[in-house]
Amino acid sequence: MSKHHIEMTINGRRHSGDVEARVSLSDFLRDDAGYTGVHVGCEHGVCGACTVIVDGKAVRSCLMLAVQAEGAQVTTVEGLAASDGTLHPVQQVLLEEHGLQCGFCTPGFVMTLAALTDGDAKPSEQQLVSALSGNVCRCTGYQGIRRAAKRLACNEAGENS
Amino acid sequence: MTAPEMGTGMGTGIGTGRYIGQRVRRKEDPRLLTGRGQFVDDISLPGMLHCAFTRSQIARGKILAIKTDVARDVPGVHAIYTQQDIAHYKADLLSFFLAAPDVEMTPLANGRVAYVGEPIALIIADNRHIAEDAASLVEVDYADEDPVVTLADAARGLPVHPGTDNNIAAQMGEEEIDEELAAKLKSAPHLITHKVVHQRISQSPMETRGVVVTRDGTEELTLYITCQSPHLVARWLSLSLGLPETAIRVIAKDVGGGFGLKNHPWKEELAVIVAALKFGRPLKWIEDRYENLVGANQAREQEMTLQVAFDNDGKLIASHGDYSVNIGACPQLPECNIAVHMFVWAAYKMPAYGFLTRGWYTNTVGYAAYRGPWAMETLIRETVLDIAARRIGIDPIEIRRRNLVTLKDQPTMTCMEIPLEDITPAECLEKLLAHFDVAAFRKQQEAARKEGRYLGLGVAAYIEPTGAAGSIATMTGELAQVQIEPTGKVTAIMSTHSQGHGTATTMAQIFADRLGVRYEDVTVFEGDSSRGGFSPGAAGSRQGVIAGGAAIMAGDLLAAKVKQLAAHLAEASVDAIRIEDGMVHVEGSPEKSRTLRQIAEIAYGEPDRLPPGFEPGLEAKYRYQPPPMTFASAANACVVEVDTDTGFVKILRWISSEDCGTPINPSVVEGQIAGGLAQAIGMVLLEEMSFDDRGNPLAATYKDYMLPLISDVPTFEFLHANTPSKSVGGMRGVGEGGAIIGTPTLVNAIADALAPFGEVPVDLPLTPAKLLSVIEGRDLVSPTVAPEAPVVVAVAPLVSAAPVVQAAPAPANEILIDGDWKMVLSTPVGPQEMTGHFETDGTALSGYLAAAEGQQAFTGVVENGNNLLFDLKVEKPLKITLKYNLTVEGNRISGKCKMGIFGSAKLTGHKL
Ligand code: FES
Ligand code: FES
């Protein structure tokens, strides 16, 4: 099968590779680029574990081909924390709220929440929870995740609560 | 309930400490939140190749040919193996109890296939893409046969396994209801017969199964595998492969959920391991979700009918249970789930109980455990109590109050002769009711009904055996090893294993408290069979109870050692030493305080300064053997609204009132309960793994198999009772409870909401179509659901209709009883082999039975020349008398062993 040369920026670093057209972005990120924090739970777009941010938007990397990400800015869960190790607010809140158990689904929840709360976005709790209904967690019963979403949401005054 | 006193003795809880009982943050989370976890698919080894399987497309048939040439020619394919290619390796598919299966099972299909998805050929290739390409090019010719798919098919159909008489894999109890019990049931003022059908469930850990295996020379085999206990996998594999001299090391740092599926390897993992031995390069297989839904073992799929007799006050008189479970073709346990009967009435004052329990082979993927494998007992009991309450006209809470065993009633013995000392379901229920105003709810419910809105309240109570150790080979105590490093930091090595349980956190909390150090200064290592000692890891809600006890004991031993050394150095008495925050203080002499690091440096490096006889270093270990069984208790309530136009259920409120003894970390405790409750919601409303009549699975993606999402799960409210158990530390276990009690709580709420329309048949999942059928009074369920079948399972003949060729019985004068016989008893924990030695003198019989565990003598009688009757008394796991009734025919022996409350087990054997 013929290979395609692609280049993209992953977590602020340029990365290039030669891939078959059929290789998913998730496989490329895991196997070629070494970002194994991208978890693959279903490979058919339901579980959300593979969520990464591509050009500012949350994307299921199992449903996107690596060649489609040519030239894109990609952020994986490895790229969220500051270089001194300070956790991203989403990671910090999930830690404080016991939002994870096995941690397999976690990168997907983190990236979905990060994509929605970064920058000027001011989502409500309801918006966050309905976005998270596209991510499956088999362990937690979603209790800590819901608490985290509540804290990350904007309250009525437009402030992060 | 008041917090217990501090103390280390047996039976004292440790209540709260600086860390124990606190919601400390988990040590696992920073790496998992930043993508630095290490799951099996994250492992790559030099020279590693990838595997995929060609799987059966049919549920049952003979394999006529497997054509691999085209697949073999795909560039990048290195090898294709069928069972023939690996048959010369010993590779036994042992049960969780480490017993060999009763029927032939091989890693890859051996001439026949018995379920859709059964692995037939293993492909080794450069990468997974190529391996899958090749897998799809392997051509298999079959002689298709009609499969046995459902429990009803199993009772009627031809045996799934050639050479067996019928599809009963395991059976206990009595086929006929005991006359006395039948009379009690019949003469009671109220007799309720209740049937529950539980669908098949996919455990669905978010991380699928997977293994990376490398053979390093003949001496070493290293495995990275997603599992529930590296130690159990290593032990299982050593026995399975018959490689006692090979050092098997199993590593599983992070595991993405187990729930019972990952107790030990099964067909695919074993095939990959054997292939790695043969091919000689590291191999990786990561199951994809399609394979997981189709080919990974599954759980539940049970039917049970419970008869319960009540007096006019709603008090229990007698009961009988008839249970069947579909265990597929190649189950991890040839299970008939005796625990269902052991615990069905354990928390209630039930005077008399009898049962029949069976596991049935079918042409479906095999059975494995799933959180609370015996949960049917709580589901059927708690739903029948509500039905009885409606029928007799008493309040559902009142019927429980009248029958639950309270603390005042104990010590007592259950109807299945389990001793109870301190269960608290009745107390959990009262605590729940103090928090939830039932009267106010009833008013609200009535008002809502007038507006055409249907609210319902469900309540349930239960107990759960946890922390079992000592009755099954694999269920053992726990080892804790802990050391204060020369740096002053604490390192512990545990055999606990987390698939999300957070044991590295909870065990660290214990060590920090017991040693007087900061939580931040404790590191717990686990997940590697080369460290620590044997333990089955996460199974049976045991880790908090047993490993927690071990950690307390080891921590206290080490603290004593530090104190001994510090006292010696300070020339003070041991009682004057206090360790706090990593500082070792001497009472009354603040100037003599030393850091733990200073003490440790002396302990390791300055032997001359140690007290006489003091073992250098600061290390301790302890293997804790807990009481044989510990119980957790709980009561739950939930409120639902059922939309009578759509049949949709909305959960409005859910309260969990549980007693898990000492909670090491309440957030971890609540996390375990919440996860189980969400799984219960999935079982009641959403999840269903079913098959068409050719045995094809009807759910192969998460679009068809619906897992609960955040929008399906409400916010849970938690009440904790914290009554210390008799185990060290007072923990009671919490791993499985939510999945057990959540199911009937929700079913009861739905049934209460729809009570004006009639009873809701408990046939899970309760889909909108099923609920609308109740609401509209007509069958709206699709015709693919079999019409209400007679409960054939209960009356199925033991032997199939096919004629069985039997040797003519030897004439009486040729019966030779005397001598040694090799015999196999089919017990619930797997076949037990033994040797029977018989000596006769007229009609007097004497001899002994010998097994690996020892031998026991007996005397008895011989009736009718060839019928041997004798009794053996055993003490473990319970005191029971085993009554043997065996018949000798020629050089064959067969019959039954009646095992008290456990019912009867079959015995077969031959002369040696
Ligand atoms: S792996 Fe991409 S959605 Fe499940
Ligand atoms: S934490 Fe295990 S799947 Fe979410």
Side-chain angles (χ1 to χ4, degrees):
Chain A
M1 221 163 284
S2 68
K3 297 219 170 182
H4 302 262
H5 185 75
I6 53 171
E7 289 187 15
M8 63 186 84
T9 306
I10 309 172
N11 299 331
R13 293 192 185 141
R14 290 175 59 78
H15 192 91
S16 63
D18 297 295
V19 293
E20 287 178 15
R22 65 176 174 175
V23 170
S24 66
L25 178 59
S26 54
D27 281 354
F28 179 75
L29 290 172
R30 288 183 56 80
D31 302 340
D32 283 64
Y35 293 102
T36 54
V38 179
H39 289 170
V40 175
C42 71
E43 289 178 281
H44 50 250
V46 180
C47 77
C50 64
T51 305
V52 298
I53 297 175
V54 177
D55 293 334
K57 290 219 162 60
V59 159
R60 309 209 150 193
S61 60
C62 72
L63 293 186
M64 186 170 180
L65 295 172
V67 291
Q68 292 176 290
E70 157 74 19
Q73 296 279 341
V74 178
T75 309
T76 71
V77 73
E78 287 99 331
L80 278 190
S83 49
D84 68 353
T86 307
L87 294 180
H88 182 278
V90 167
Q91 293 168 320
Q92 183 63 29
V93 170
L94 281 166
L95 171 77
E96 288 168 13
E97 295 297 342
H98 282 255
L100 56 147
Q101 288 180 22
C102 78
F104 196 83
C105 69
T106 305
F109 281 92
V110 168
M111 298 314 285
T112 304
L113 284 169
L116 292 173
T117 56
D118 266 353
D120 298 334
K122 301 254 179 279
S124 67
E125 181 185 342
Q126 191 42 47
Q127 282 171 320
L128 287 183
V129 169
S130 65
L132 291 180
S133 68
N135 288 65
V136 180
C137 173
R138 189 56 154 169
C139 298
T140 63
Y142 304 100
Q143 304 295 298
I145 296 169
R146 192 191 297 275
R147 288 192 298 270
K150 198 182 177 90
R151 283 179 57 187
L152 291 164
C154 273
N155 60 26
E156 275 161 35
E159 301 287 317
N160 279 69
S161 46
Chain B
M1 274 157 229
T2 49
E5 305 263 293
M6 287 285 282
T8 55
M10 296 287 283
T12 8
I14 48 174
T16 53
R18 176 158 175 209
Y19 298 110
I20 295 172
Q22 308 302 328
R23 296 176 184 269
V24 304
R25 291 181 190 169
R26 298 201 326 161
K27 290 199 177 268
E28 297 85 347
D29 290 356
R31 73 168 181 271
L32 294 172
L33 280 161
T34 52
R36 313 286 175 193
Q38 189 198 78
F39 297 87
V40 59
D41 194 23
D42 304 340
I43 304 292
S44 277
L45 299 176
M48 183 177 83
L49 297 172
H50 299 257
C51 300
F53 290 96
T54 301
R55 294 173 180 275
S56 177
Q57 302 293 320
I58 65 164
R60 176 177 179 134
K62 209 170 158 205
I63 297 176
L64 302 176
I66 306 174
K67 298 174 197 149
T68 58
D69 343 350
V70 180
R72 186 68 192 79
D73 285 344
V74 173
V77 170
H78 293 261
I80 299 179
Y81 293 150
T82 63
Q83 181 59 29
Q84 263 190 354
D85 301 310
I86 58 170
H88 54 290
Y89 288 90
K90 177 173 153 66
D92 296 336
L93 289 157
L94 305 175
S95 74
F96 179 71
F97 306 129
L98 306 176
D102 296 348
V103 292
E104 189 196 297
M105 290 188 206
T106 46
L108 298 171
N110 189 21
R112 289 184 61 80
V113 288
Y115 60 93
V116 172
E118 180 167 3
I120 295 174
L122 179 146
I123 291 84
I124 301 175
D126 281 341
N127 63 42
R128 171 78 185 198
H129 294 100
I130 296 171
E132 278 184 38
D133 290 344
S136 67
L137 293 171
V138 172
E139 259 184 78
V140 185
D141 295 339
Y142 308 95
D144 207 339
E145 296 168 18
D146 287 340
V148 164
V149 181
T150 62
L151 280 168
D153 293 350
R156 284 194 298 261
L158 284 175
V160 166
H161 293 285
T164 55
D165 296 341
N166 56 49
N167 285 315
I168 298 175
Q171 168 169 344
M172 299 192 81
E174 300 303 329
E175 278 158 50
E176 302 280 326
I177 300 185
D178 175 83
E179 271 174 41
E180 211 177 303
L181 184 67
K184 279 185 191 157
L185 292 170
K186 222 170 116 195
S187 63
H190 301 278
L191 175 64
I192 316 267
T193 301
H194 176 44
K195 181 174 176 186
V196 171
V197 178
H198 200 308
Q199 80 277 43
R200 184 180 281 238
I201 291 294
S202 158
Q203 295 88 342
S204 281
M206 290 319 295
E207 181 199 29
T208 54
R209 294 181 298 162
V211 60
V212 173
V213 54
T214 173
R215 178 163 206 171
D216 308 316
T218 52
E219 304 288 308
E220 284 174 56
L221 185 66
T222 304
L223 226 62
Y224 297 82
I225 185 168
T226 176
C227 66
Q228 296 179 203
S229 162
H231 291 91
L232 179 61
V233 172
R235 179 172 171 187
W236 188 96
L237 208 57
S238 175
L239 298 172
S240 167
L241 299 176
L243 295 176
E245 62 288 340
T246 299
I248 297 176
R249 182 177 180 192
V250 179
I251 302 170
K253 185 168 180 189
D254 289 308
V255 171
F259 312 115
L261 176 65
K262 297 177 181 172
N263 271 321
H264 55 78
W266 205 236
K267 279 174 166 259
E268 288 86 346
E269 296 100 316
L270 193 55
V272 173
I273 292 162
V274 173
L277 296 181
K278 184 176 169 82
F279 196 72
R281 274 177 70 172
L283 296 184
K284 175 188 259 191
W285 170 68
I286 303 297
E287 184 176 56
D288 67 25
R289 188 56 66 181
Y290 165 77
E291 292 182 282
N292 179 261
L293 285 167
V294 170
N297 286 346
Q298 299 165 350
R300 305 290 201 263
E301 195 172 353
Q302 311 145 329
E303 292 187 11
M304 184 165 178
T305 301
L306 191 67
Q307 299 181 62
V308 195
F310 296 86
D311 70 13
N312 283 321
D313 294 330
K315 289 224 176 93
L316 295 163
I317 295 175
S319 176
H320 182 271
D322 183 344
Y323 169 94
S324 280
V325 54
N326 181 339
I327 61 169
C330 298
Q332 284 192 354
L333 282 175
E335 175 80 309
C336 64
N337 223 329
I338 183 73
V340 167
H341 307 282
M342 298 292 291
F343 297 107
V344 62
W345 291 111
Y348 286 81
K349 293 169 208 156
M350 169 57 82
Y353 182 68
F355 68 91
L356 173 62
T357 195
R358 303 182 194 196
W360 300 83
Y361 288 123
T362 62
N363 292 112
T364 60
V365 63
Y367 171 95
Y370 181 54
R371 213 171 197 172
W374 59 90
M376 174 58 94
E377 50 84 26
T378 291
L379 174 60
I380 199 162
R381 176 193 65 245
E382 295 300 316
T383 50
V384 82
L385 285 174
D386 270 32
I387 294 168
R390 281 189 284 273
R391 195 97 47 97
I392 304 171
I394 28 177
D395 185 84
I397 290 160
E398 192 50 35
I399 204 169
R400 290 180 171 81
R401 279 188 174 138
R402 288 182 195 171
N403 291 293
L404 272 171
V405 174
T406 67
L407 272 177
K408 280 200 211 82
D409 298 319
Q410 299 171 74
T412 183
M413 199 72 116
T414 74
C415 57
M416 296 290 281
E417 290 169 35
I418 299 167
L420 299 178
E421 291 174 347
D422 57 2
I423 64 164
T424 58
E427 289 71 18
C428 288
L429 178 62
E430 295 309 325
K431 201 172 172 117
L432 178 77
L433 296 170
H435 184 82
F436 180 82
D437 188 342
V438 177
F441 169 77
R442 290 295 175 207
K443 276 201 198 119
Q444 198 192 342
Q445 182 181 38
E446 208 183 299
R449 274 188 195 162
K450 288 195 183 119
E451 297 165 16
R453 288 174 50 227
Y454 290 85
L455 304 181
L457 168 65
V459 170
Y462 96 125
I463 62 168
E464 177 194 353
T466 63
S471 50
I472 296 166
T474 40
M475 295 300 261
T476 64
E478 280 280 339
L479 181 70
Q481 284 171 260
V482 58
Q483 56 229 16
I484 298 168
E485 305 285 351
T487 57
K489 301 275 172 184
V490 175
T491 309
I493 294 165
M494 299 293 295
S495 311
T496 44
H497 195 233
S498 172
Q499 303 94 57
H501 302 80
T503 36
T505 296
T506 48
M507 296 301 127
Q509 288 177 259
I510 293 178
F511 287 120
D513 257 10
R514 305 312 281 189
L515 290 169
V517 301
R518 294 185 325 141
Y519 171 68
E520 293 74 19
D521 290 335
V522 183
T523 305
V524 174
F525 290 105
E526 48 181 10
D528 184 340
S529 72
S530 69
R531 302 170 179 150
F534 179 80
S535 139
S541 304
R542 57 181 295 289
Q543 302 201 99
V545 181
I546 312 179
I552 290 170
M553 297 301 283
D556 288 357
L557 284 175
L558 186 53
K561 210 168 168 193
V562 172
K563 287 181 183 172
Q564 186 195 351
L565 175 54
H568 176 77
L569 294 169
E571 293 174 356
S573 93
V574 170
D575 296 337
I577 309 293
R578 229 170 1 97
I579 322 172
E580 229 175 68
D581 253 352
M583 287 298 294
V584 186
H585 302 288
V586 186
E587 212 74 63
S589 316
E591 75 288 355
K592 289 188 178 165
S593 294
R594 284 185 163 95
T595 62
L596 212 43
R597 174 177 169 176
Q598 288 168 326
I599 300 272
E601 280 170 350
I602 295 166
Y604 287 93
E606 298 184 57
D608 297 346
R609 296 177 70 186
L610 305 180
F614 189 93
E615 188 185 344
L618 289 176
E619 293 141 344
K621 69 174 185 176
Y622 190 86
R623 178 170 277 274
Y624 176 52
Q625 185 67 30
M629 212 184 275
T630 300
F631 287 102
S633 305
N636 271 216
C638 91
V639 176
V640 300
E641 176 167 354
V642 182
D643 184 325
T644 50
D645 291 329
T646 63
F648 276 97
V649 175
K650 189 164 170 46
I651 302 170
L652 303 174
R653 197 170 172 197
W654 196 305
I655 308 159
S656 153
S657 163
E658 115 295 340
D659 190 350
C660 72
T662 307
I664 303 170
N665 183 331
S667 293
V668 170
V669 164
E670 289 168 8
Q672 286 296 312
I673 298 171
L677 290 177
Q679 291 175 335
I681 292 169
M683 285 187 273
V684 175
L685 297 176
L686 298 166
E687 298 176 37
E688 181 165 32
M689 180 56 69
S690 54
F691 300 88
D692 70 11
D693 56 7
R694 298 304 298 170
N696 294 301
L698 297 178
T701 72
Y702 278 158
K703 283 282 182 207
D704 325 299
Y705 191 85
M706 289 183 291
L707 294 169
L709 301 171
I710 194 167
S711 41
D712 300 308
V713 182
T715 297
F716 301 119
E717 298 160 57
F718 296 100
L719 305 169
H720 303 286
N722 308 352
T723 317
S725 70
K726 302 237 181 305
S727 69
V728 166
M731 283 72 80
R732 288 179 180 273
V734 74
E736 292 159 288
I740 301 173
I741 194 171
T743 318
T745 306
L746 182 52
V747 171
N748 282 346
I750 295 167
D752 183 49
L754 296 184
F757 301 97
E759 284 296 339
V760 177
V762 185
D763 175 6
L764 302 184
L766 299 179
T767 56
K770 286 183 194 163
L771 296 183
L772 283 174
S773 300
V774 176
I775 293 161
E776 297 184 9
R778 61 200 174 102
D779 185 10
L780 295 167
V781 181
S782 67
T784 54
V785 170
E788 182 60 13
V791 191
V792 279
V793 291
V795 292
L798 250 176
V799 284
S800 72
V804 179
V805 185
Q806 267 180 350
N813 58 4
E814 277 182 37
I815 293 171
L816 267 183
I817 295 169
D818 292 44
D820 289 333
W821 297 75
K822 190 171 171 62
M823 312 194 295
V824 179
L825 185 66
S826 304
T827 79
V829 296
Q832 302 281 311
E833 277 190 24
M834 55 188 164
T835 308
H837 176 83
F838 301 127
E839 289 173 26
T840 55
D841 184 3
T843 59
L845 173 71
S846 63
Y848 58 83
L849 296 185
E853 299 79 44
Q855 89 179 40
Q856 203 173 346
F858 59 79
T859 56
V861 294
V862 183
E863 283 184 356
N864 307 323
N866 69 340
N867 187 199
L868 317 184
L869 301 169
F870 58 94
D871 295 353
L872 277 184
K873 287 198 195 319
V874 294
E875 304 278 326
K876 271 179 66 181
L878 292 170
K879 277 189 196 166
I880 43 173
T881 301
L882 305 176
K883 291 179 172 297
Y884 285 86
N885 182 338
L886 307 178
T887 304
V888 171
E889 277 167 356
N891 61 359
R892 303 243 140 232
I893 191 163
S894 63
K896 272 191 192 180
C897 169
K898 240 188 128 181
M899 305 187 290
I901 51 165
F902 294 99
S904 300
K906 268 203 304 190
L907 181 146
T908 53
H910 58 85
K911 189 95 186 236
L912 284 174

